[in-house]
């Protein structure tokens, strides 16, 4: 599995940089965002270094499906599932991406506005 030793989220996935984990298995890590924008704000990443959703191919279907399934499970575990929540992935600087390792933002615990800014 490819990793980038310079990548912040690869280093969080390996445990080199500490995080407050909500879930982890052999393929995915979920951890609380360091600067939460909602009462519950968790990031879900594949352990594999994929730069963004723009890099995905059909070969990545299993990991993407697993990421969303884990997000749903974490949302239930965190107690935000019944009220509803948002899953977002930013792509590129214009899309608001600041860390170039694919991640889902799982946000809940408050009402979300639409469209996002
Ligand atoms: P992006 O802006 O790329 O969509 O999301 C990156 C997210 O990573 C931001 O919400 C930011 O607060 C979070 N973040 C940046 N550095 C760290 C860190 O060292 N630890 C954790 N837990 N979150 C981080
Ligand atoms: Zn990475």
């Amino acid at each position: 599995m490819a990793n980038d030793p310079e990548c912040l989220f690869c280093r969080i996935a390996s445990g080199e940089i500490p995080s407050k984990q909500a879930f982890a298995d052999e393929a995915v890590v979920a951890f609380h965002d360091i600067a939460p924008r909602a009462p519950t704000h968790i990031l879900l990443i594949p352990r594999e270094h994929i730069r963004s959703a723009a890099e995905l191919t059909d070969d990545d279907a299993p990991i993407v499906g697993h990421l969303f399934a884990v997000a749903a499970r974490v949302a239930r575990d965190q107690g935000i599932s019944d009220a509803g929540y948002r899953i977002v992935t930013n792509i590129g600087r214009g899309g608001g991406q600041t860390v170039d390792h694919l991640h889902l933002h799982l946000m809940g615990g408050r009402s979300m506005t639409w469209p996002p800014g």
Side-chain angles (χ1 to χ4, degrees):
M1 191 185 301
N3 291 110
D4 177 350
E6 305 289 309
C7 169
L8 174 65
F9 285 178
C10 284
R11 296 169 75 192
I12 284 179
S14 73
E16 181 193 340
I17 293 177
S19 67
K20 188 179 166 200
Q21 279 194 5
F23 178 88
D25 66 14
E26 68 289 346
V28 166
V29 181
F31 56 96
H32 291 260
D33 197 292
I34 204 168
R37 302 301 183 99
T40 300
H41 186 173
I42 289 171
L43 304 174
L44 297 107
I45 63 172
R47 289 188 184 273
E48 181 181 1
H49 183 78
I50 300 170
R51 285 176 57 84
S52 79
E55 306 273 305
L56 292 168
T57 70
D58 286 344
D59 290 344
D60 298 309
I63 187 61
V64 173
H66 187 53
L67 262 183
F68 274 91
V70 170
R73 172 183 170 158
V74 171
R76 286 191 297 273
D77 289 349
Q78 297 285 326
I80 60 171
S81 201
D82 288 348
Y85 55 92
R86 181 166 292 166
I87 293 173
V88 176
T89 190
N90 298 325
I91 299 167
R93 295 297 171 266
Q97 185 176 12
T98 59
V99 179
D100 291 333
H101 179 130
L102 174 65
H103 50 283
L104 302 181
H105 294 260
L106 169 63
M107 306 173 79
R110 65 168 168 82
S111 291
M112 296 293 156
T113 59
W114 191 262

